[in-house]
Amino acid sequence: MIDKRVATLADAVAGIGDEATVLIGGFGDSGVPVELVHALLDQGARDLTVVTNNAGSGERDVAALIRERRVRKIVCSYPRSAGSIWFEELWRAGEIELELVPQGTLSERMRAAGAGLGGFFTPTGADTLLAEGKEVRVLGGRRQVFEEPLPGDVALVKAHRADRWGNLVYRTAARNFGPTMATAAALTVVQVEEFVELGELDPEAVVTPGIYVDRVVAVRAP
Amino acid sequence: MIAPLAAVDLARRVAADIPDGSYANLGIGLPTLVADVVGPDKEIVYHSENGILGMGPAPAPGTGDPELINAGKQPVTLLPGGAFFHHTDAFMMMRGGHIDVTVLGAFQVSERGDLANWITDVATMPPAVGGAMDLAVGAQRVLVMTTHVTREGRPKLLPRCSFPLTAAGVVDRVYTDLAVLDVTPEGFVVLEMAPGLTAVELQGLTAARLSFADELGVLPTG
């Protein structure tokens, strides 16, 4: 019997260790697994490497992790926003490392990890600061940069509905990085708004098949 | 007396060059004006990097879905026929050459078509790139929409960019509030100029050397 549902947020983030690489879904405030990130904050893991598109805003989710000095390094495409005060403060103080990655390369590096690839060449970033120190080859007449896969120890993802096998559907643009991150981590933890019975999700519409998912917890929409 | 085009007139001029049936991605800032002035005679499908095709205008106040946002993190709507997909797919569309046209803002453009639009000062602000490099490299046609000079009156069209590049040799055409210019192997060629402007005046506001089309057009206003 397969049942990936867990009862509490604490169960969902149990066992995440210090120095883990944590992939966290979301784009701006859309699709962020806020409750899972707060559970990770309560759980206590530290010296984390966080992979996420933005560096958090205000006092919530990723910003709170950074504020509490739990993040040693952040890998992201756009750490700056109107409310990214905690990231900026620690970055200026040299207390957090930033690896800046073009957004499509960030996503594709996680896809490569999920697909078992050893990396890929892309023209994105060629002849820019973000290609410094990386191998460049001319392929198909274009200068292309070698990018390595970006696997996670853990992925924290927000979806809309799940069944006990961990099949997932998402809602509108909240889907963003979720399906790719789910494939790229050793442990994929998902929060959903509701559970449904096995067979209730239209198999033609399942976005993330349960094979990629390890734990699912239900968090009611606020 | 040099009279630059109003932003809305500039947007209309850019819109006139986007063919009916195009899949388009509009950059943050000035380029978003283009969607507001495309006539009802054209059907253009707008793409957003966070997983939307068929993006529509902002929702009426008090309505809308907080997770349905555009690349600038502003609330938007989905038009009939629109679709959601995940981030890696969204960037596959950009990086794989499936987006017909993008309109981007710029800090600087060089006569070789190099684009600088992501960072001006690496020392004091954390760098942030988002999807700028992916879009500049991957879109079939890269249009730049910008003021001809900076707020301080410095030229933006240069022999070489002094700011860090977003991408090298990617810009096809530049639309400024003073002129429309093609990037060619021989450098910038002026196609149209604002009413009343002379070639000598335009060259005086441009650091790159300009050539002029045989039949020079006048930018429409009003």
Side-chain angles (χ1 to χ4, degrees):
Chain A
M1 160 117 174
I2 299 171
D3 192 352
K4 296 178 181 179
R5 294 172 297 177
V6 296
T8 68
L9 284 160
D11 294 339
V13 299
I16 298 175
D18 293 347
E19 300 180 31
T21 295
V22 186
L23 317 179
I24 301 179
F27 180 88
D29 287 339
S30 175
V32 180
V34 175
E35 286 77 7
L36 280 176
V37 176
H38 288 168
L40 180 60
L41 198 62
D42 296 339
Q43 187 259 18
R46 50 195 322 115
D47 293 319
L48 301 171
T49 294
V50 166
V51 182
T52 188
N53 191 58
N54 305 104
S57 175
E59 304 290 336
R60 212 183 66 158
D61 53 80
V62 174
L65 270 184
I66 293 171
R67 181 191 66 213
E68 299 304 319
R69 298 336 196 240
R70 304 282 282 283
V71 183
R72 184 183 65 74
K73 176 180 177 181
I74 187 160
V75 184
C76 75
S77 88
Y78 209 90
R80 224 163 55 207
S81 69
S84 58
I85 42 175
W86 284 110
F87 170 74
E88 285 178 39
E89 185 168 320
L90 269 66
W91 181 80
R92 285 208 182 83
E95 290 179 33
I96 189 167
E97 185 184 341
L98 168 66
E99 180 180 344
L100 191 75
V101 182
Q103 196 171 164
T105 295
L106 183 70
S107 187
E108 192 67 18
R109 284 180 62 194
M110 290 187 280
R111 195 194 77 85
L117 305 180
F120 57 92
F121 282 92
T122 173
T124 295
D127 300 307
T128 76
L129 292 177
L130 300 189
E132 280 179 0
K134 293 177 181 170
E135 183 186 351
V136 174
R137 279 197 208 166
V138 177
L139 297 166
R142 291 191 97 170
R143 288 168 58 75
Q144 310 218 19
V145 184
F146 182 71
E147 296 285 357
E148 292 183 345
L150 181 52
D153 298 305
V154 185
L156 303 182
V157 168
K158 178 180 175 180
H160 181 43
R161 291 196 180 103
D163 59 27
R164 68 175 169 83
W165 281 13
N167 294 309
L168 305 177
V169 295
Y170 298 80
R171 230 177 50 75
T172 73
R175 184 182 307 191
N176 59 62
F177 285 93
T180 301
M181 287 181 169
T183 69
L187 175 71
T188 292
V189 182
V190 182
Q191 68 172 71
V192 295
E193 281 154 39
E194 61 179 349
F195 289 127
V196 297
E197 292 300 319
L198 215 53
E200 260 187 68
L201 296 176
D202 177 356
E204 301 285 358
V206 168
V207 174
T208 296
I211 189 170
Y212 298 121
V213 174
D214 298 288
R215 298 175 188 166
V216 192
V217 62
V219 177
R220 298 277 161 237
Chain B
M1 178 68 192
I2 294 170
L5 245 64
V8 65
D9 288 330
L10 180 57
R12 282 200 189 94
R13 179 61 194 84
V14 175
D17 279 359
I18 302 181
D20 185 24
S22 296
Y23 290 85
N25 185 307
L26 303 178
I28 295 168
L30 201 55
T32 59
L33 286 178
V34 172
D36 299 335
V37 298
V38 168
D41 54 321
K42 284 186 193 173
E43 202 161 46
I44 293 171
V45 180
Y46 295 105
H47 170 273
S48 188
E49 66 186 17
N50 53 319
I52 311 170
L53 270 176
M55 182 169 60
T63 69
D65 173 346
E67 307 215 87
L68 183 45
I69 58 175
N70 63 15
K73 321 278 175 13
Q74 302 301 310
V76 293
T77 49
L78 190 75
L79 299 177
F84 298 119
F85 36 87
H86 67 79
H87 237 82
T88 308
D89 276 353
F91 277 86
M92 191 186 299
M93 293 174 197
M94 294 154 78
R95 292 152 67 103
H98 307 281
I99 302 293
D100 297 313
V101 58
T102 185
V103 183
L104 299 172
F107 300 136
Q108 297 176 335
V109 180
S110 85
E111 62 190 19
R112 303 189 307 191
D114 298 346
L115 173 67
N117 78 345
W118 73 285
I119 195 166
T120 58
D121 182 350
V122 196
T124 58
M125 286 295 281
V129 65
M133 290 184 178
D134 307 285
L135 197 50
V137 159
Q140 288 294 334
R141 201 162 158 71
V142 176
L143 311 181
V144 165
M145 181 177 175
T146 177
T147 56
H148 200 86
V149 297
T150 68
R151 233 173 256 145
E152 296 76 34
R154 293 199 191 89
K156 288 183 158 190
L157 305 187
L158 311 169
R160 301 285 290 267
C161 296
S162 60
F163 293 146
L165 293 190
T166 306
V170 296
V171 176
D172 294 296
R173 185 173 280 187
V174 182
Y175 301 78
T176 78
D177 50 358
L178 297 179
V180 178
L181 312 94
D182 267 347
V183 178
T184 76
E186 286 73 45
F188 288 115
V189 176
V190 180
L191 307 175
E192 297 169 32
M193 293 199 300
L197 187 69
T198 70
V200 172
E201 286 169 333
L202 186 65
Q203 181 65 76
L205 295 167
T206 312
R209 197 184 56 79
L210 299 177
S211 313
F212 292 84
D214 292 339
E215 293 194 23
L216 208 51
V218 177
L219 272 166
T221 57

